[in-house]
């Protein structure tokens, strides 16, 4: 569950009532996590706590958003919470993979926190294997969205104004029957489970995802975060471009560069 940071003056939990919770799925190419990095870094969000769970592989590292030597030695763990009260935005960043068979307990804990903190809605950034698209999904944009019924009532019209494409349901038995359609998100990690559980529990959730392949997924992250910005307008800009997002210092280490001296 959520554990607030102790900033020296007590550890009262911050108020997230009416906030939008933005978080990634640990999915193919880590695209959602990279997009979340861009949001936290660009908006200069403040770390307000941690999400304590035994569902993720434990990890610890240097501050991924260090801006100077003074704050580069701050430690970060596998699930941390950042906030921007002026925009009513709270972000959960996940930095390690899930432990086997721990998807469901994590989803239950997360949705319990969403309810208790009274967040207005959840936006999940995800990705799916490009090579497993069906014929219909090969056409047009590689970006898709999903809305739970409760959020559909509130923002469905806005998605149509943006000309966004909803994630298609695919045949449950390809080549045998095309009448039974299911939601299929290969490589999406917790995406499908978290979405279906949110539908069942009446939680307002949007899933934004991109079809992609493993490799250098930085370009995919920029595409996904610009897609998010079209809707939420986190950065006020007439034209979405990569240059408007601030790249975090930790991205220098993505492809095997030397470890920072401050780590030792």
């Amino acid at each position: 569950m959520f554990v607030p940071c102790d900033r020296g003056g007590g550890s009262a939990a911050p108020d997230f009532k009416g906030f939008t919770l933005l978080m990634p799925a640990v999915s193919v190419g880590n695209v959602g996590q990279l997009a979340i990095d861009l949001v936290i870094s660009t908006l200069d969000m403040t770390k307000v706590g941690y999400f304590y769970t035994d569902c993720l592989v434990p990890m610890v590292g240097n501050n991924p958003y260090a801006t100077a030597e003074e704050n580069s030695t701050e430690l970060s763990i596998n699930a941390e919470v950042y906030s921007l009260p002026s925009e009513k935005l709270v972000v959960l960043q996940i930095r390690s993979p899930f432990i086997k068979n721990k998807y469901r307990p994590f989803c239950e804990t997360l949705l319990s926190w969403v309810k208790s903190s009274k967040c207005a809605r959840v936006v999940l950034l995800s990705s799916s294997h490009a090579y497993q698209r069906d014929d219909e999904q090969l056409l047009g944009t590689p970006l898709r969205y999903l809305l739970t019924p409760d959020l559909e009532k509130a923002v469905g019209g806005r998605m149509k104004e943006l000309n966004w494409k909803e994630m298609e349901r695919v045949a449950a038995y390809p080549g045998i029957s095309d009448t039974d359609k299911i939601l299929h998100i290969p490589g999406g990690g917790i995406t499908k489970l978290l979405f279906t559980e949110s539908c069942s529990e009446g939680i307002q959730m949007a899933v934004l995802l991109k079809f992609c392949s493993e490799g250098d997924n930085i370009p995919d992250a920029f595409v996904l975060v610009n897609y998010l910005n079209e809707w939420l307008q986190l950065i006020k800009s007439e034209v979405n471009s990569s240059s408007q997002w601030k790249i975090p210092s930790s991205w220098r280490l993505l492809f095997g560069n030397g470890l920072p001296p401050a780590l030792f």
Side-chain angles (χ1 to χ4, degrees):
M1 289 294 285
F2 176 70
V3 180
C5 289
D6 185 355
R7 296 292 184 181
S11 55
D15 182 11
F16 298 137
K17 184 177 180 180
F19 279 46
T20 294
L21 171 62
L22 181 63
M23 63 173 289
V26 182
S27 52
V28 56
N30 305 111
V31 176
Q33 293 154 291
L34 292 170
I36 293 290
D37 268 351
L38 290 170
V39 172
I40 294 171
S41 181
T42 303
L43 299 181
D44 194 22
M45 298 183 74
T46 301
K47 182 163 67 176
V48 293
Y50 311 90
F51 197 77
Y52 178 76
T53 174
D54 63 356
C55 300
L56 297 168
V57 173
M59 64 138 289
V60 65
N62 276 50
N63 179 6
Y65 312 115
T67 55
E69 187 175 345
E70 291 74 25
N71 64 5
S72 65
T73 55
E74 293 177 8
L75 295 181
S76 294
I77 62 169
N78 55 7
E80 296 185 322
V81 179
Y82 297 78
S83 178
L84 187 64
S86 62
E87 297 293 329
K88 286 212 161 189
L89 181 68
V90 56
V91 170
L92 169 62
Q93 176 62 302
I94 301 173
R95 299 194 177 94
S96 69
F98 284 86
I99 294 172
K100 187 177 181 180
N101 299 326
K102 289 288 190 176
Y103 277 10
R104 188 168 294 278
F106 178 83
C107 291
E108 291 171 354
T109 303
L110 175 71
L111 294 181
S112 175
W113 176 53
V114 169
K115 289 179 179 178
S116 64
S117 62
K118 298 182 180 179
C119 289
R121 60 188 175 186
V122 181
V123 180
L124 181 68
L125 301 185
S126 185
S127 51
S128 184
H129 283 302
Y131 73 89
Q132 288 192 247
R133 288 174 291 176
D134 68 4
D135 290 347
E136 186 179 1
Q137 291 171 337
L138 288 168
L139 301 174
T141 176
L143 295 161
R144 294 292 189 277
Y145 78 92
L146 287 166
L147 300 176
T148 59
D150 288 79
L151 189 56
E152 174 77 38
K153 297 172 186 175
V155 303
R158 176 57 179 156
M159 303 312 187
K160 289 180 173 58
E161 290 175 7
L162 292 170
N163 292 318
W164 280 14
K165 197 166 185 178
E166 188 174 4
M167 184 68 171
E168 300 88 348
R169 270 64 175 178
V170 299
Y173 307 101
I176 300 174
S177 172
D178 292 331
T179 57
D180 296 327
K181 300 280 189 177
I182 61 169
L183 183 61
H184 186 50
I185 309 177
I190 64 169
T191 304
K192 181 179 176 180
L193 177 60
L194 193 55
F195 178 75
T196 54
E197 289 295 306
S198 296
C199 289
S200 300
E201 299 195 26
I203 290 174
Q204 295 193 16
M205 173 176 281
V207 176
L208 309 187
L209 67 81
K210 185 180 186 298
F211 294 116
C212 67
S213 301
E214 293 278 7
D216 179 359
N217 295 102
I218 289 176
D220 297 307
F222 279 115
V223 171
L224 186 60
V225 78
N226 282 329
Y227 187 54
L228 170 72
N229 198 54
E230 282 183 45
W231 173 29
L232 295 187
Q233 292 292 292
L234 300 175
I235 297 177
K236 306 303 187 287
S237 174
E238 294 183 2
V239 180
N240 280 327
S241 69
S242 300
S243 61
Q244 67 187 344
W245 300 100
K246 179 183 176 182
I247 296 174
S249 56
S250 56
W251 282 24
R252 296 195 304 267
L253 308 174
L254 283 179
F255 298 104
N257 291 334
L259 294 174
L263 189 61
F264 302 99

